[in-house]
């Protein structure tokens, strides 16, 4: 989402003149934080357009191949490291946090019931990309109006992101003081990690906020809780082992040795968040992310019966839809194979045994074999 408030040319020298003239950017920064709160964001901060501190870690992670099949991570690494290269003229980054946790989510109970499907809590409601970008657009509109009132000659330019471009979101959240990077690599606050991040890349010379210090201490619960050992050391995840990667990003077959550890998780994984002490202080999230289609407590057998048309219709406006029906069936087949060897499960799997997709057929056959071993 790109925007520009028309005025004069947006070259750096002109912007600097305006900054020293009619616009009070310190006062504007305060108003931006207040406006963000009015729009529902639980935290808004400002960072410099400088990712140099995080770049060495990113380059090392890529060099070790820990991004797995996410080739776009390596392809656009330079853009992640240089906001100016992604959006020319960027001088400040406004980072915003929007909570999504909904009251009544029974995560532990669902994980403990092999007949139920566990879907990462962030994906139970509306697709966050659109919600956050719309809120950021409203924030940018307010900023643009204020700038025009102060200096009609200043050409305000911005671009809004929410997990939609090569942006080091957690790094800018840290720099802007709205979150720190937890040992599970997710952004974390004293109210937990159940939130989304979004950014406005702007050409405004806003004063940056102070970075937030981490408050994980000696805790390593997230590391110990990871079902596949994907958090190989504090602050570093090997995506190739991560259940979220395996069920969402991976397009091919899930490695056989990792399938049993997936359990009944069919889209993402929250184990490293569920065990985090800070999440006990989580507040109710934005109503946009309320549970849809009963996905928080629905059976694997029921989901496995969804046709492709039903999948697309029911999950319209959901982030789950992007993995497609084939991967959806692949994931559920693995979960069924990790479940109970009862008649309903066998019937469900056998209904897809001759599926047109070789990927689905292979995972279904694996699941049937697993259940037969259990029953024997």
């Amino acid at each position: 989402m790109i925007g520009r408030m028309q005025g004069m040319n947006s070259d750096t020298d002109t912007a600097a003149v305006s900054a020293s003239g009619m616009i009070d950017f310190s006062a504007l920064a305060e108003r931006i934080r207040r406006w963000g709160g009015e729009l529902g964001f639980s935290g808004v901060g400002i960072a410099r357009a400088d990712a140099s501190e995080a770049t060495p870690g990113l380059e090392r992670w890529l060099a070790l191949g820990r991004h797995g099949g996410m080739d776009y991570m390596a392809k656009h690494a330079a853009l992640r490291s240089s906001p100016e290269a992604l959006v020319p003229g960027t001088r400040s980054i406004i980072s915003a946090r929007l909570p999504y946790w909904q009251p009544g989510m029974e995560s532990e109970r669902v994980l403990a019931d092999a007949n139920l499907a566990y879907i990462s809590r962030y994906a139970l409601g509306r697709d966050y990309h659109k919600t956050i970008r719309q809120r950021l657009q409203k924030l940018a509109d307010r900023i643009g109006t204020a700038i025009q009132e102060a200096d009609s000659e200043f050409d305000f330019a911005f671009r809004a992101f929410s997990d939609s471009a090569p942006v080091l979101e957690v790094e800018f959240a840290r720099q802007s003081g709205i979150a720190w990077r937890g040992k599970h690599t997710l952004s974390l606050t004293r109210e937990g990690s159940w939130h989304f991040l979004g950014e406005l890349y702007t050409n405004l010379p806003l004063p940056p906020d102070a970075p937030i210090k981490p408050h994980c201490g000696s805790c390593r619960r997230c590391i110990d809780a990871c079902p596949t050992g994907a958090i190989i050391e504090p602050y570093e995840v090997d995506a190739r082992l991560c259940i979220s990667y395996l069920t969402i990003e991976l397009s091919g077959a899930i490695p056989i040795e990792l399938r049993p550890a997936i359990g009944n998780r069919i889209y993402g994984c929250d184990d490293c968040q569920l065990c985090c002490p800070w999440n006990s202080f989580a507040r109710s999230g934005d109503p946009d992310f309320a549970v849809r289609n009963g996905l928080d407590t629905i059976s694997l057998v029921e989901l496995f019966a969804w046709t492709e048309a039903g999948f697309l219709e029911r999950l319209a406006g959901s982030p789950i839809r992007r993995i497609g029906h084939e991967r959806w069936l692949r994931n559920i087949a693995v979960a069924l194979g990790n479940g109970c060897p009862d008649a309903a499960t066998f019937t469900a799997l056998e209904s897809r045994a001759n599926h047109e997709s070789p990927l689905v057929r292979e995972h279904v056959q694996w699941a049937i074999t697993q259940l037969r071993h259990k029953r024997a």
Side-chain angles (χ1 to χ4, degrees):
M1 185 175 291
I2 304 172
R4 182 177 293 279
M5 296 296 178
Q6 294 301 322
M8 62 189 212
N9 295 331
S10 59
D11 59 271
T12 303
D13 292 339
T14 302
V17 171
S18 296
S20 63
M22 302 173 67
I23 301 176
D24 184 341
F25 286 103
S26 294
L28 179 59
E30 290 298 322
R31 296 172 76 183
I32 289 171
R33 296 184 192 94
R34 185 177 74 252
W35 291 332
E38 293 171 357
L39 290 168
F41 291 115
S42 56
V44 174
I46 298 163
R48 293 176 292 108
D50 181 3
S52 58
E53 288 186 46
T55 298
L58 172 64
E59 292 175 344
R60 173 180 172 275
W61 185 72
L62 291 170
L64 292 171
R66 289 175 178 162
H67 57 301
M70 296 183 288
D71 295 336
Y72 59 87
M73 295 293 296
K75 181 179 180 181
H76 301 301
L79 297 179
R80 293 181 190 277
S81 301
S82 176
E84 168 70 23
L86 179 62
V87 182
T90 298
R91 302 182 67 181
S92 299
I93 295 171
I94 300 168
S95 183
R97 189 179 73 238
L98 186 65
Y100 63 81
W101 179 261
Q102 300 295 311
M105 286 182 174
E106 301 182 63
S107 303
E108 289 81 0
R109 182 177 75 81
V110 175
L111 281 170
D113 189 337
N115 293 314
L116 298 180
Y118 188 87
I119 294 171
S120 188
R121 306 293 89 170
Y122 83 85
L124 293 175
R126 187 185 184 193
D127 190 339
Y128 62 95
H129 298 87
K130 181 179 292 186
T131 294
I132 296 178
R133 288 202 297 268
Q134 287 176 343
R135 303 278 180 92
L136 290 172
Q137 177 65 52
K138 291 179 180 178
L139 179 58
D141 289 343
R142 293 194 184 187
I143 296 170
T145 298
I147 289 175
Q148 287 293 294
E149 291 174 351
D151 183 355
S152 61
E153 295 299 307
F154 188 89
D155 188 10
F156 169 50
F158 68 90
R159 186 170 176 184
F161 299 107
S162 178
D163 192 25
S164 54
V167 175
L168 291 175
E169 291 194 315
V170 178
E171 170 62 13
F172 292 125
R174 181 194 70 80
Q175 285 190 36
S176 68
I178 66 168
W180 71 84
R181 188 168 185 255
K183 291 181 181 178
H184 46 25
T185 73
L186 304 174
S187 56
L188 187 56
T189 74
R190 292 180 182 270
E191 295 175 0
S193 57
W194 305 112
H195 56 251
F196 300 118
L197 297 175
E199 301 77 34
L200 278 176
Y201 276 33
T202 79
N203 64 340
L204 303 175
L206 298 168
D209 290 305
I212 191 171
K213 295 181 179 179
H215 295 282
C216 290
S218 60
C219 179
R220 53 174 290 125
R221 293 187 191 183
C222 59
I223 300 172
D224 296 335
C226 182
T228 56
I231 309 175
I232 54 177
E233 58 182 274
Y235 311 106
E236 186 157 348
V237 168
D238 189 333
R240 295 167 296 185
L241 301 175
C242 179
I243 293 175
S244 289
Y245 168 80
L246 296 171
T247 56
I248 300 173
E249 299 292 343
L250 182 66
S251 60
I254 296 174
I256 292 176
E257 66 275 13
L258 296 176
R259 295 178 191 180
I262 289 175
N264 61 346
R265 303 167 187 83
I266 67 166
Y267 187 92
C269 177
D270 291 326
D271 287 41
C272 63
Q273 299 187 84
L274 291 169
C275 67
C276 178
W278 288 115
N279 275 324
S280 62
F281 302 103
R283 297 182 181 180
S284 296
D286 195 276
D288 256 18
F289 308 120
V291 179
R292 297 181 175 186
N293 295 298
L295 290 176
D296 55 336
T297 54
I298 196 167
S299 75
L300 291 165
V301 169
E302 181 178 348
L303 294 180
F304 202 56
W306 284 6
T307 63
E308 183 170 12
F311 168 84
L312 295 173
E313 180 182 356
R314 288 183 173 93
L315 297 179
S318 165
I320 302 173
R321 200 172 190 258
R322 76 181 183 91
I323 70 170
H325 191 238
E326 182 184 42
R327 273 190 260 180
W328 174 254
L329 294 178
R330 175 200 66 181
N331 296 346
I332 299 174
V334 170
L336 288 169
N338 290 329
C340 304
D342 53 35
T345 303
F346 272 109
T347 300
L349 287 166
E350 288 165 357
S351 72
R352 302 284 188 181
N354 295 315
H355 193 274
E356 61 184 10
S357 164
L359 181 70
V360 174
R361 291 200 305 270
E362 188 275 317
H363 285 74
V364 166
Q365 187 55 56
W366 174 87
I368 292 173
T369 300
Q370 292 295 107
L371 294 178
R372 285 174 177 166
H373 287 319
K374 291 181 182 180
R375 187 169 60 181

